[in-house]
Amino acid sequence: MEETIELRELLEIVWKGKAVIAVCTIVCMLLAGIASWFVFDEKYESKAVVQVASSVQDTGIMANYVAAEFTPNIYTQRIQNKSVMQQALQDADVKVKYNEKNLVATVDIDPTKNVNLVELKYTSNTAKDAQKELLVLMEATKQKMNESVQATLKDLETNYKSKSMTLTKEIESIIEQYNKTIRMNNLPELLILQTILNTEITLNISEEQTKALANVTGSLQNQLLQMQAQIQTKSEEYRKALADYQSVKTGLDSFKPDPFIRVIAEPSLAEEPTSPNTVLNLAIGLMVGIMLGLGLIFFKHYWKNSAISK
């Protein structure tokens, strides 16, 4: 027959062992207090809120490149980049190693309300250090995002400039070939001017040129028409490439990240440490002490009864 322990017996066991429970509780709470006051280093937390939005202003051809860089997620990844942030702290003459665990970045995105926020929490040894270091990290992140867009725009500027130069050479080559064909066949030179201006021009021509026009073959006509079409097509491409180049160059000279990264709440200065949480640690010590004391008295009761039964 199995032995059962009634509630009354359990309460009697606990009451008899109250001294053990009290001692364990006091010891655990004392250890928790000593650890909180003398062992654990105090940590202070600085908080900030940043809005990251790429639709603040119309940047023309740069819109896609700006939108790809200035997003809350990209901002979060950059501010948590250990090597870059460590270098930023060194450049700011801050004698501390960057620890990504000290920084918590929470993204709050709500497209319906046009909310693109990043909430930052950074802990350090003192309140002033936490505030200063978080400010350094935020400035470094903004600078890196700015440099990324600047590098992209410089590449675009180089590409459009190279494309414009290439198209210029191609147009010059086609025009030279066209002019050569006109002169070789003794055709009116007004055709050259007509092609350049892309409009019809009516001028008096000589009898010899009239005969030359009458003797133009279909093959020669097709050749001239193809070259005219190539000149017009290449000219349109050149005008577009030149417009894109000017747009990117203007944007590159005037681009600033400030409209896209707005500090909603500056890094705060903590009034009291966030850790160690002395009250919480004492509460944990209390619970551990009680559980330890109960464990000891029940183990003692079990050991005593098992010895008697033998």
Side-chain angles (χ1 to χ4, degrees):
M1 184 175 179
E2 295 182 359
E3 295 184 0
T4 59
I5 301 179
E6 296 182 355
L7 178 59
R8 183 183 183 86
E9 187 178 355
L10 290 175
L11 294 176
E12 289 178 353
I13 295 173
V14 172
W15 180 254
K16 290 179 181 180
K18 59 183 181 295
V20 176
I21 297 175
V23 171
C24 290
T25 302
I26 293 173
V27 170
C28 288
M29 290 185 68
L30 184 61
L31 292 176
I34 292 174
S36 298
W37 289 312
F38 303 105
V39 178
F40 297 146
D41 294 330
E42 288 187 341
K43 295 293 182 180
Y44 292 80
E45 184 178 80
S46 180
K47 300 178 181 179
V49 179
V50 179
Q51 183 184 44
V52 185
S54 59
S55 58
V56 176
Q57 65 183 29
D58 183 13
T59 55
I61 194 172
M62 301 187 302
N64 292 334
Y65 302 97
V66 173
E69 177 66 27
F70 287 92
T71 67
N73 289 329
I74 294 296
Y75 184 93
T76 300
Q77 292 176 10
R78 289 195 179 279
I79 202 171
Q80 292 178 332
N81 188 309
K82 185 175 182 178
S83 59
V84 174
M85 293 301 105
Q86 180 62 58
Q87 185 61 48
L89 291 174
Q90 290 180 0
D91 294 340
D93 198 26
V94 177
K95 308 297 183 181
V96 65
K97 287 187 177 181
Y98 175 78
N99 187 348
E100 59 272 21
K101 295 181 180 180
N102 292 339
L103 178 67
V104 177
T106 306
V107 175
D108 182 11
I109 301 177
D110 189 350
T112 60
K113 299 181 180 179
N114 195 24
V115 175
N116 298 284
L117 300 179
V118 179
E119 298 179 3
L120 302 172
K121 296 180 181 179
Y122 182 80
T123 58
S124 190
N125 296 327
T126 68
K128 290 185 177 180
D129 286 345
Q131 184 184 46
K132 178 182 178 180
E133 291 164 21
L134 180 57
L135 183 61
V136 169
L137 299 180
M138 291 168 61
E139 287 296 326
T141 302
K142 182 170 71 173
Q143 183 62 29
K144 285 300 177 182
M145 296 178 78
N146 178 43
E147 291 175 359
S148 175
V149 174
Q150 292 274 2
T152 301
L153 295 180
K154 286 181 180 179
D155 290 340
L156 284 175
E157 180 187 22
T158 302
N159 291 337
Y160 286 133
K161 185 176 181 179
S162 176
K163 184 178 180 180
S164 299
M165 295 176 64
T166 301
L167 287 171
T168 299
K169 293 179 180 179
E170 292 178 357
I171 293 171
E172 289 176 352
S173 176
I174 298 172
I175 290 177
E176 182 179 354
Q177 183 181 357
Y178 181 85
N179 295 345
K180 184 178 180 181
T181 303
I182 294 293
R183 294 190 178 96
M184 286 179 58
N185 292 276
N186 196 28
L187 297 174
E189 294 188 357
L190 66 90
L191 294 175
I192 299 174
L193 183 60
Q194 178 176 312
T195 301
I196 295 174
L197 298 178
N198 192 24
T199 184
E200 293 185 1
I201 301 176
T202 303
L203 292 176
N204 294 327
I205 59 176
S206 65
E207 184 178 348
E208 182 180 356
Q209 290 176 334
T210 302
K211 291 180 180 180
L213 285 173
N215 293 326
V216 171
T217 63
S219 176
L220 178 58
Q221 184 179 9
N222 289 336
Q223 184 180 358
L224 293 174
L225 290 174
Q226 288 178 4
M227 285 189 286
Q228 287 179 352
Q230 289 177 358
I231 292 172
Q232 294 175 7
T233 301
K234 294 295 182 181
S235 297
E236 288 295 328
E237 292 179 8
Y238 173 77
R239 281 191 286 270
K240 186 178 185 305
L242 186 61
D244 291 341
Y245 169 75
Q246 292 295 340
S247 176
V248 171
K249 184 173 178 59
T250 302
L252 183 60
D253 295 337
S254 61
F255 179 78
K256 295 293 184 295
D258 295 327
F260 308 105
I261 299 179
R262 296 176 55 217
V263 179
I264 306 300
E266 295 285 349
S268 61
L269 183 64
E271 296 181 356
E272 56 184 20
T274 55
S275 66
N277 191 330
T278 304
V279 175
L280 178 61
N281 291 340
L282 289 176
I284 293 174
L286 174 65
M287 296 302 298
V288 171
I290 293 174
M291 293 176 64
L292 180 61
L294 289 173
L296 287 175
I297 61 174
F298 280 115
F299 178 78
K300 179 181 178 181
H301 176 77
Y302 166 77
W303 187 266
K304 181 179 179 181
N305 289 346
S306 61
I308 294 175
S309 61
K310 290 180 180 181

